[in-house]
């Protein structure tokens, strides 16, 4: 075996050369890996004893893509394009041996090999779209030549990882070899290629599928139409589609030019920068500086949930989905039956759409047990309280749980903002008390805010983080403060949205600006959806707020056919003349001089205070890092991924501009806009949140 460089080795066995890459963690195509590939293949080609070349990787995976950390830096080493040309033009067959994942540039390298073999557990994909990119190393031109335009469109716009057996079916791999025997299998395959005198297959030369697809231009129009909602705001899906269109309509080299041009445009644009930042933020968020990965965890095989409402039921589903038994406790049989009924309905809906089988519905329901007695929680490993937000009620429950639950059981609350230290204080085991703030609907929303109270133990935190991963959530560890991270920042936006309306903006103007920014809906449409009467008490209502007046008019949101908006029979929202009059009357009554607002003003008023609040949260240590706040907002509140999150956004706008606006707002409207000291400090130092 010869070392080619620090990350590549070449061994020759008989007449087969085996080029092995070893660049942990994921064999990304760093300059070293590219050099290793170029030199290794060249050396094997030059060796007269070698008749075929197998490319294989050490570690957990085949090449998982370009090295994202190198993006934006100065180019070093062999270019990927040159490496691919060397491989594709090799006079000796090159066979890619795939395990783990062949993703992005990794699959693109494999597509310049003449053959591909994989173990059954391997997966292939072009996930660049998730980084706001497109496959920039010929992937958009080679993939459709094998799988056809329709499948290629799906793969490049979803970034899905396709399992090896499916890849075999599609022709993306040529053979499956035994699990754990990739090296032997690939060598045997190479020998067959030689023995059979099989040709040096170049994907770039395949033309049949492109010729057939050219007769069906409607493929693209249909695909755009079906995906329009999902793609809204994102540039990368459309650019990916254009590349596949180019593959169908242009000669290979011309198609490559289109790919290159569009790739560079995305790579240097703001969306991909935000999405690449998100990729790393999603991985950082799991890391807690003072809790090492080997901190012990508490086994959680059974979970108790208090409350069978929407929240409790949704939470229960998360656990049943991964085979963890759940006991849900309610006070009344009727409420319990209703809650269990909703869970069953949710599962059945998923089954009717093909998400799970009828048997899985039954299996999961069998894991969820109802009870009317908290005593049934004596043996569970963790309890999650999910009753309504009242401190006295929660304290009473925790006192009881402390007496009932076995020593070592974790006592969690799903509060969305109450003081968890106060809740923990009624127990004799504050170290076991933690916040697990799920977002509604809890069986769907990805975010989990894990709230660390003063005495929460590291074991309990580590257990909760690991459990979050197991149930498919993305978890951010936050500290105790009113509203925690997400709702605390939301409070700023909600307050300003309401105030803007009382100063003369219309709800639909505020909503439109935020929707166009990329949120799934604006705050007023959201209120209508949730119901304006949440927390509204008819008997106490005295027209003091806009909400009171609307509720008094029975405009309680979508469910009554009217709220801030009017709703037609298809539940489509329309600006409402009634609401407009209510607002105008309200303004007259309150003596305010109404004015008009530009879209930019609306955006600044709604979003800049969020950035400022994020800065306060950071300096108080309630979030570990700025990017954690962004993860919370992307996954819990619909902040558009291509805009990073409030903190990333703040850096992009420029903190000096945000600070100046906050000062201006403070001078004209009061201290709720007082700049965070951290914001002042960062501006003074010429830094951004990214530098923290
Ligand atoms: N470049 C640089 N670092 C990468 C990387 C990449 N392409 N892929 C993963 N990493 C790093 C991660 O940041 C992480 O680092 P950390 O341990 O310091 O946090 C480490 O590798 C392990 O990654 P994961 O925690 O994600 O490990 P998993 O085992 O859960 O997942 C994976 C492995 C499925 C390969 C996943 O990492 C992944 O999806 N990677 C990205 C794949 C991708 O997007 N490829 C396309 C890149 S763009 C491209 O190729 C452009 C080309 O068309 C020109």
């Amino acid at each position: 075996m010869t070392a080619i460089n620090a990350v590549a080795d070449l061994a020759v066995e008989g007449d087969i050369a085996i080029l092995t890459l070893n660049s942990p963690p994921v064999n990304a195509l760093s300059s070293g890996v590219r050099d290793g590939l170029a030199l290794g293949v060249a050396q094997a080609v030059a060796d007269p004893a070698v008749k075929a070349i197998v490319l294989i990787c050490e570690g957990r995976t085949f090449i998982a893509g370009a090295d994202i950390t190198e993006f934006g830096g100065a180019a070093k080493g062999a270019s990927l394009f040159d490496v691919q040309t060397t491989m594709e033009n090799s006079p000796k067959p090159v066979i890619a041996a795939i395990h783990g994942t062949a993703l992005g540039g990794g699959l693109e390298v494999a597509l310049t090999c003449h053959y591909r073999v994989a173990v059954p557990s391997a997966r292939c994909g072009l996930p660049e779209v998730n980084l706001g990119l497109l496959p920039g190393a010929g992937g958009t031109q080679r993939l459709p030549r094998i799988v056809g335009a329709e499948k290629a469109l799906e793969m490049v716009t979803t970034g899905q990882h396709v399992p090896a057996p499916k890849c075999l079916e599609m022709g993306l791999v040529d053979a499956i070899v035994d699990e754990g025997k990739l090296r032997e299998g690939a060598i045997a395959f190479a020998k067959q290629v030689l023995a059979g005198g099989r040709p040096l297959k170049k994907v770039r030369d395949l033309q049949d599928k492109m010729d057939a697809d050219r007769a069906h231009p409607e493929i693209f129009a249909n695909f755009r139409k079906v995906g329009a909602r999902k793609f809204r705001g994102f540039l990368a899906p459309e650019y990916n589609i254009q590349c596949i269109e180019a593959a169908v309509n242009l000669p290979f080299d011309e198609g490559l030019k289109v790919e290159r041009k569009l790739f560079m445009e995305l790579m240097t644009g703001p969306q991909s920068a935000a999405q690449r930042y998100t990729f790393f933020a999603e991985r950082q968020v799991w890391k807690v500086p003072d809790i090492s990965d080997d901190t012990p965890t508490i086994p959680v095989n059974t979970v108790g949930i208090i409350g069978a409402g929407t929240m409790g039921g949704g939470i229960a589903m998360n656990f049943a989905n991964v085979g963890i038994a759940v006991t849900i406790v309610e006070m009344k049989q009727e409420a319990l039956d209703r809650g269990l009924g909703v869970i069953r309905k949710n599962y059945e809906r998923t089954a009717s759409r093909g998400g799970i089988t009828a048997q899985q519905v039954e299996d999961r329901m069998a894991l969820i047990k109802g009870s009317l007695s908290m005593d049934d929680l004596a043996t569970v490993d963790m309890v999650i309280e999910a009753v309504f937000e009242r401190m006295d009620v929660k304290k009473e429950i925790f006192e009881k749980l402390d007496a009932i639950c076995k020593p070592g059981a974790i006592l969690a609350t799903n509060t969305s903002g109450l003081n968890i230290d106060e809740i923990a204080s009624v127990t004799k085991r504050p170290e076991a008390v933690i916040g697990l703030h799920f977002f509604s609907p809890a069986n769907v929303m990805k975010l989990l805010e894990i709230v660390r109270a003063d005495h929460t133990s590291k074991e309990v935190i580590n257990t909760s983080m690991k459990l979050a991963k197991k149930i498919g959530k993305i978890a951010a560890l936050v500290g105790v403060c009113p509203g925690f991270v997400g709702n605390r920042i939301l409070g700023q936006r909600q307050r300003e949205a309401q105030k803007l309306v009382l100063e003369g903006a219309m709800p639909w103007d505020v909503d439109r600006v935020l929707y166009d920014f990329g949120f799934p809906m604006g705050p007023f449409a959201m209120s209508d959806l949730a119901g304006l009467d949440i927390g509204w008490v008819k008997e106490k209502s005295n027209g003091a707020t806009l909400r009171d007046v609307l509720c008094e008019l029975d405009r309680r949101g979508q469910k009554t056919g009217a709220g801030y908006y009017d709703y037609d029979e298809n539940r489509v929202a329309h600006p409402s003349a009634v609401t407009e009059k209510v607002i105008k009357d309200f303004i007259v009554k309150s003596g305010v001089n109404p004015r008009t607002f530009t879209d930019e003003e609306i955006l600044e008023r709604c979003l800049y205070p969020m950035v400022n609040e994020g800065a306060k949260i950071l300096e108080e240590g309630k979030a570990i890092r700025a990017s954690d706040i962004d993860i919370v907002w992307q996954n819990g509140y619909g902040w558009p991924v291509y805009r990073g999150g409030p903190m990333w956004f703040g850096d992009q706008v420029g903190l000096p501009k945000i600070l100046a606006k906050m000062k201006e707002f403070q001078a004209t409207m009061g201290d709720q806009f007082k700049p965070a000291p951290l914001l002042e400090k960062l501006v003074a130092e010429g830094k951004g949140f990214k530098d923290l």
Side-chain angles (χ1 to χ4, degrees):
M1 191 157 66
T2 331
I4 299 293
N5 65 6
V7 295
D9 284 320
L10 191 68
V12 180
E13 287 183 17
D15 51 6
I16 313 289
I18 299 118
L19 176 58
T20 307
L21 300 174
N22 187 7
S23 180
V26 296
N27 291 306
L29 288 160
S30 60
S31 57
V33 169
R34 296 195 304 272
D35 283 345
L37 271 169
L39 294 170
V41 172
Q43 191 166 318
V45 168
D47 185 341
V50 170
K51 299 272 184 304
I53 304 158
V54 167
L55 168 63
I56 193 166
C57 292
E58 286 284 348
R60 69 218 248 195
T61 179
F62 189 76
I63 304 165
D67 187 338
I68 307 167
T69 59
E70 277 188 358
F71 288 177
K76 283 193 306 194
S79 84
L80 186 51
F81 184 75
D82 289 345
V83 170
Q84 289 177 298
T85 308
T86 306
M87 293 173 69
E88 199 165 47
N89 293 336
S90 157
K92 304 172 181 178
V94 183
I95 294 109
I98 301 171
H99 77 295
T101 47
L103 298 177
L107 181 57
E108 292 174 295
V109 164
L111 286 171
T112 51
C113 295
H114 305 103
Y115 295 94
R116 287 156 293 283
V117 301
V119 289
S121 62
R123 285 169 299 143
C124 297
L126 293 173
E128 283 86 344
V129 71
N130 298 323
L131 299 168
L133 293 172
L134 53 88
T140 65
Q141 305 306 298
R142 290 191 179 86
L143 179 71
R145 283 180 157 75
I146 297 180
V147 305
E150 275 181 302
K151 285 207 181 83
L153 281 170
E154 196 187 321
M155 281 180 72
V156 297
T157 56
T158 59
Q160 63 190 218
H161 299 179
V162 181
K166 181 96 189 138
C167 291
L168 181 68
E169 230 178 274
M170 298 195 304
L172 203 48
V173 302
D174 301 283
I176 302 275
V177 302
D178 286 347
E179 198 70 56
K181 298 223 168 96
L182 181 59
R183 195 171 194 274
E184 301 89 307
I187 291 173
F189 183 88
K191 286 184 174 156
Q192 282 169 27
V193 169
L194 292 176
R198 289 171 72 173
L200 292 169
K201 247 179 29 183
K202 288 188 192 175
V203 176
R204 58 175 286 150
D205 294 337
L206 303 175
Q207 209 40 52
D208 291 3
K209 289 217 159 81
M210 298 301 84
D211 292 342
D213 285 335
R214 203 170 311 124
H216 298 285
E218 72 280 3
I219 293 175
F220 296 98
N222 290 342
F223 194 80
R224 285 187 170 97
K225 207 164 128 199
V226 172
R229 235 179 97 157
K230 205 172 87 199
F231 302 153
R232 183 177 75 94
F234 288 93
L235 277 181
E238 169 57 27
Y239 280 36
N240 271 280
I241 296 171
Q242 287 179 21
C243 286
I244 306 291
E245 250 173 336
V248 168
N249 295 319
L250 299 175
F252 183 83
D253 287 317
E254 293 305 307
L256 264 192
K257 282 186 198 155
V258 172
E259 181 191 90
R260 184 94 307 246
K261 176 175 168 290
L262 295 181
F263 177 81
M264 287 317 293
E265 216 177 291
L266 289 176
M267 176 66 107
T268 51
Q271 290 205 354
S272 177
Q275 289 180 256
R276 280 163 8 227
Y277 158 80
T278 299
F279 176 84
F280 291 109
E282 283 171 346
R283 283 156 181 79
Q284 281 285 103
V285 76
W286 295 99
K287 296 170 188 163
V288 182
D290 68 328
I291 302 181
S292 62
D293 207 42
D294 55 5
T295 303
T297 53
I298 300 158
V300 177
N301 300 312
T302 50
V303 171
I305 291 169
I306 304 194
T310 315
M311 213 58 210
I315 296 171
M317 291 173 75
N318 284 295
F319 293 101
N321 292 349
V322 297
I324 295 178
V326 182
T327 303
I328 307 187
V329 178
E330 250 300 344
M331 301 221 298
K332 295 213 171 86
Q333 188 67 46
E334 197 197 339
L336 186 59
D337 291 344
R338 196 180 326 120
L340 292 172
V342 170
I343 295 177
R344 173 171 282 281
K345 237 202 226 136
N346 282 338
Y347 277 139
E348 283 171 351
R349 191 174 323 123
T350 309
S352 73
R353 291 178 186 155
I356 52 174
T357 63
Q359 186 55 47
Q360 280 172 314
V361 174
E362 298 312 320
D363 293 347
R364 291 177 194 193
M365 284 310 295
L367 283 168
I368 304 176
K369 206 172 77 194
S371 163
L372 295 176
S373 166
M374 272 167 61
D375 291 338
D376 284 341
L377 303 181
T379 58
V380 299
D381 302 314
M382 171 188 254
V383 180
I384 303 170
E385 163 277 310
V387 304
F388 48 90
E389 293 284 80
R390 251 179 55 192
M391 183 55 92
D392 54 339
V393 178
K394 299 211 186 244
K395 277 180 163 172
E396 198 186 316
I397 289 175
F398 272 74
E399 225 174 322
K400 283 191 189 147
L401 285 175
D402 193 29
I404 292 169
C405 294
K406 68 181 182 188
I410 298 172
L411 307 185
T413 169
N414 177 52
T415 178
S416 56
L418 293 179
N419 186 335
I420 299 177
D421 289 312
E422 196 178 332
I423 297 175
S425 72
V426 301
T427 73
K428 292 188 199 68
R429 49 172 121 180
E431 72 286 352
V433 178
I434 193 163
L436 294 181
H437 179 207
F438 288 83
F439 287 69
S440 190
N443 51 318
V444 179
M445 296 290 290
K446 288 282 280 179
L447 180 65
L448 181 65
E449 271 185 330
I450 298 187
V451 194
R452 176 181 204 163
D454 276 351
H455 301 287
T456 313
S457 75
K458 291 183 180 177
E459 287 78 5
V460 168
I461 294 170
N462 198 30
T463 303
S464 300
M465 301 287 282
K466 296 270 168 9
L467 200 56
K469 210 166 217 173
K470 184 167 178 181
I471 62 175
K473 299 289 177 199
I474 182 151
L477 186 66
V478 302
V480 175
C481 57
F484 310 134
V485 166
N487 282 346
R488 178 167 162 184
I489 292 178
L490 177 68
Q492 298 290 317
R493 194 189 78 180
Q494 298 302 80
R495 185 195 66 220
E496 288 314 304
Q498 287 290 337
K499 272 174 45 201
L500 280 164
V501 165
L502 298 178
E503 291 167 28
M506 284 297 131
W508 30 95
D509 293 329
V510 176
D511 279 356
R512 176 181 43 78
V513 169
L514 291 172
Y515 178 82
D516 289 348
F517 180 79
F519 283 103
M521 62 173 77
F524 296 99
M526 190 69 206
S527 290
D528 274 2
L529 182 67
L532 265 73
D533 54 355
I534 296 180
W536 178 72
V537 184
K538 192 174 181 180
E539 293 69 33
K540 290 190 186 159
S541 186
N542 57 5
T545 65
L546 203 51
R547 193 259 303 249
D548 280 354
V549 181
L550 290 172
C551 284
E552 285 162 21
L553 291 169
D554 205 34
R555 298 182 67 92
R556 290 182 288 127
Q558 279 197 25
K559 60 186 169 191
T560 56
Y564 286 104
Y565 293 85
D566 291 337
Y567 291 88
D568 62 23
E569 58 284 1
N570 299 318
R571 289 213 165 189
V572 175
H574 301 280
S576 161
V578 178
T579 302
E580 187 163 343
K581 178 158 185 329
V582 168
I583 292 172
K584 287 187 170 153
D585 289 350
F586 207 91
I587 290 177
V588 169
K589 220 168 65 186
S590 55
V592 172
N593 241 341
R595 50 173 286 231
T596 54
F597 290 87
T598 64
D599 289 0
E600 198 187 348
E601 276 178 295
I602 291 176
L603 205 62
E604 289 172 351
R605 278 280 293 279
C606 288
L607 302 191
Y608 290 9
M610 297 171 70
V611 179
N612 192 46
E613 196 66 26
K616 290 183 190 165
I617 285 172
L618 283 174
E619 65 196 345
E620 290 168 25
K622 302 300 179 189
I624 296 172
R625 42 183 97 74
S627 61
D628 289 6
I629 298 178
D630 289 340
I631 288 297
V632 166
W633 263 79
Q634 281 187 20
N635 293 281
Y637 301 85
W639 187 287
V641 177
Y642 56 83
R643 292 194 198 270
M647 310 319 280
W648 172 264
F649 168 77
D651 276 349
Q652 302 312 301
V653 170
L655 296 191
K657 183 170 175 198
I658 306 248
L659 177 63
K661 270 287 164 198
M662 293 306 291
K663 284 184 171 160
E664 182 190 316
F665 291 157
Q666 184 188 16
T668 51
M669 289 178 282
D671 272 352
Q672 68 267 43
F673 295 100
K674 192 170 181 318
L678 178 63
L679 185 58
E680 305 242 28
K681 180 167 170 275
L682 288 173
V683 171
E685 292 170 356
K687 291 183 177 161
F689 295 118
K690 64 179 188 315
D691 303 309
L692 289 173

